[in-house]
């Protein structure tokens, strides 16, 4: 090793060569910096030997100077090149870490599903629109007049007790038809849209009116206080029960398959005369081959037409209402109403296929 007093070309050349060798081996900037300090820093052989040049005899100064210049340059070049390489490597690593692998499977966001109730109502709308009918939607908070009076429920008519009504506190309404002072209710039936539509759209009228209705029932396996109905109303000249039956069969087929059929059984509703229970038959039905009750229907009671200012001697009409939940319970053999009410997406996905 060169001492302060001696300029030893071999020692300093070997030392710098060892330093360059180490630079080659280094794998990060930390190591590189340490090597630089050791082989080119203030206490390095190269620095110490350089200091000796001044005291060398003149004839040796030039060679010594050139040698040291070359060694410093070699070391500096090796160092610089390595810095460049390590930086490039670091950058490549960082880029690789950020790279998006387009071949990885996508993490899909679950999209949810349409609720089967909405789907049934939409399917009913589609069917009726395809037959040239209109879709009508009345309000859920309705005057008692449209929900009962206009539909021929007399003030003390026992039929009012057929449906347990939510009254909306303190509201006295002036409705579209100008009836002041009628109580407000949460409509108990989509039939409440019948006279509304007759008054606002006139005759001839062909409407389907799907929507939410309310009754003071407790939620249990077969009841829910909030449920859905699809109402249909046709008022025109010369309509008969045969027209009603034809439409009901079309609806049964659309909802329950090509072999499904409807049957009418005499019954009573204040707003229809004659009135009938609407029974349904379809082949895949669980729980036996019999007929099952699906809804109510009938020929529009002349008093309802009169409520809308329509002359019952000129016009006749038919109407029916089916429960949307009931349609689903029957069609899919669902045993618990809770499943329809809770809105669990795993449940909905089973019924609203491909949507
Ligand atoms: N609104 C009746 C109900 O909620 C169902 C109904 C029966 C509707 C006969 C009708 C009908 O249009 O004609 O129970």
């Amino acid at each position: 090793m060169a001492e302060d007093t001696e300029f030893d070309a071999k020692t300093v050349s070997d030392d710098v060569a060892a330093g360059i060798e180490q630079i080659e081996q280094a794998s990060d900037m930390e190591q590189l910096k340490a090597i630089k300090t050791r082989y080119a820093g203030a206490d390095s052989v190269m620095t110490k030997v350089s200091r000796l040049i001044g005291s060398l005899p003149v004839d040796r100064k030039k060679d010594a100077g050139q040698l040291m210049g070359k060694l410093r340059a070699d070391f500096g070049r090796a160092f610089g090149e390595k810095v460049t390489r390590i930086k490039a490597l670091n950058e490549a690593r960082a880029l690789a870490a950020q790279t998006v692998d387009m071949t990885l499977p996508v993490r899909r966001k679950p999209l949810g599903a349409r609720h089967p109730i909405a789907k049934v109502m939409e399917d009913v709308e589609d069917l009726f629109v395809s037959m040239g009918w209109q879709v009508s939607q009345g309000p859920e908070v309705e005057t008692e007049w449209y929900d009962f009076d206009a539909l021929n429920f007399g003030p003390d008519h026992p039929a009012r007790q057929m449906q347990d009504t939510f009254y909306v506190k303190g509201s006295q309404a002036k409705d579209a038809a100008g009836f002041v002072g009628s109580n407000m209710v949460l409509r108990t039936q989509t039939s409440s849209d019948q006279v509304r539509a007759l008054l606002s759209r006139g005759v001839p009228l062909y409407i389907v009116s799907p929507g939410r209705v309310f009754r003071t029932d407790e939620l249990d396996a077969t009841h829910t206080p909030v449920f859905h109905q699809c109402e249909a109303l046709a008022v025109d000249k010369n309509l008969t029960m045969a027209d009603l039956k034809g439409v009901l069969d079309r609806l049964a087929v659309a909802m329950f398959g090509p072999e499904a059929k409807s049957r009418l059984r005499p019954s009573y509703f204040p707003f229809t005369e004659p009135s009938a229970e609407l029974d349904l038959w379809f082949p895949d039905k669980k729980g036996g081959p019999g007929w099952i009750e699906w809804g109510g229907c009938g020929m529009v009671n002349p008093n309802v037409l009169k409520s809308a200012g329509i002359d019952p001697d000129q016009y006749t009409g038919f109407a029916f209402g089916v429960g949307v939940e009931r349609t689903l319970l029957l069609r899919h053999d669902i045993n618990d109403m809770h499943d329809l009410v809770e809105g669990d997406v795993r449940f909905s996905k089973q019924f609203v296929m491909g949507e």
Side-chain angles (χ1 to χ4, degrees):
M1 168 100 180
E3 292 308 321
D4 290 356
T5 51
E6 202 180 332
F7 184 94
D8 181 344
K10 181 167 171 13
T11 302
V12 71
S13 298
D14 286 352
D15 191 65
V16 171
I20 290 174
E21 175 73 27
Q22 286 203 20
I23 286 173
E24 296 302 322
Q25 307 293 326
S27 54
D28 62 38
M29 296 299 265
E30 292 293 298
Q31 289 177 16
L32 264 188
K33 275 183 201 159
I35 293 166
K36 187 175 183 184
T37 307
R38 193 163 149 215
Y39 290 94
D43 290 334
S44 66
V45 173
M46 186 156 61
T47 304
K48 284 176 181 166
V49 170
S50 294
R51 278 195 214 113
L52 296 175
I53 292 176
S55 53
L56 286 176
V58 180
D59 61 334
R60 286 187 64 199
K61 263 189 186 158
K62 192 178 163 207
D63 285 352
Q66 277 179 352
L67 175 68
M68 291 318 295
K70 180 179 178 302
L71 290 178
R72 206 164 272 287
D74 288 350
F75 188 87
R77 195 179 320 111
F79 183 82
E81 282 171 8
K82 189 69 183 192
V83 167
T84 309
R85 260 182 285 151
I86 286 182
K87 275 191 182 158
L89 205 72
N90 286 348
E91 248 169 53
R93 276 202 201 109
L95 275 180
Q98 291 168 12
T99 305
V100 178
D101 182 351
M102 303 298 281
T103 65
L104 284 176
V106 182
R107 201 189 299 159
R108 289 185 191 282
K109 256 198 183 160
L111 281 178
R114 303 292 313 285
H115 196 280
I117 289 174
K119 181 71 165 62
V120 166
M121 295 201 291
E122 229 174 70
D123 290 347
V124 171
E125 285 176 20
D126 283 351
L127 171 70
F128 279 85
V129 167
S130 79
M131 299 192 299
W133 293 43
Q134 295 175 338
V135 177
S136 169
Q137 256 164 357
E140 292 172 358
V141 181
E142 182 57 285
T143 63
E144 196 178 6
W145 191 82
Y146 279 120
D147 201 56
F148 289 125
D149 301 72
L151 293 174
N152 197 38
F153 288 74
D156 300 315
H157 201 297
R160 276 197 202 240
Q161 269 87 63
M162 282 161 65
Q163 301 170 356
D164 299 312
T165 311
F166 286 110
Y167 282 83
V168 179
K169 208 174 158 190
S171 27
Q172 296 276 307
K174 182 175 188 294
D175 57 43
F179 296 98
V180 186
S182 179
N183 288 317
M184 300 298 283
V185 299
L186 298 186
R187 66 177 176 188
T188 59
Q189 50 186 348
T190 43
S191 307
S192 61
D193 201 35
Q194 287 191 6
V195 174
R196 259 185 189 282
L198 282 168
L199 284 169
S200 61
R201 299 181 190 226
V203 283
L205 180 76
Y206 292 83
I207 53 149
V208 61
S209 185
R212 197 153 34 172
V213 299
F214 309 83
R215 292 184 199 175
T216 58
D217 285 324
E218 295 290 328
L219 176 63
D220 63 24
T222 51
H223 297 86
T224 160
V226 182
F227 56 105
H228 301 75
Q229 294 182 330
C230 282
E231 185 83 11
L233 172 70
V235 176
D236 205 341
K237 290 183 172 157
N238 305 318
L239 288 178
T240 70
M241 265 191 129
D243 299 307
L244 168 64
K245 182 70 169 65
V247 172
L248 290 174
D249 282 333
R250 279 288 293 276
L251 181 65
V253 166
M255 292 287 111
F256 292 90
E259 291 170 74
K261 35 192 184 183
S262 69
R263 181 181 76 175
L264 303 188
R265 207 159 24 88
S267 184
Y268 172 76
F269 297 100
F271 39 94
T272 38
E273 181 58 36
S275 302
E277 297 293 343
L278 161 59
D279 291 347
L280 169 78
W281 184 93
F282 68 103
D284 299 332
K285 177 164 45 70
K286 309 275 177 358
W291 290 85
I292 32 176
E293 201 180 310
W294 188 23
C297 62
M299 298 305 290
V300 177
N301 190 304
N303 288 337
V304 174
L305 295 175
K306 283 184 204 158
S307 297
I310 292 157
D311 181 359
D313 289 333
Q314 284 197 53
Y315 285 92
T316 54
F318 63 81
F320 65 84
V322 292
V324 176
E325 281 80 356
R326 181 144 182 83
T327 301
L328 282 163
L329 295 178
L330 294 175
R331 191 168 70 186
H332 302 287
D333 198 31
I334 301 165
N335 297 317
D336 193 346
M337 186 69 83
H338 289 93
D339 288 336
L340 280 177
V341 171
E342 281 162 7
D344 187 323
V345 72
R346 292 165 299 182
F347 175 81
S348 299
K349 275 193 170 145
Q350 300 173 67
F351 299 95
V352 190
M353 282 159 295
E355 312 239 339

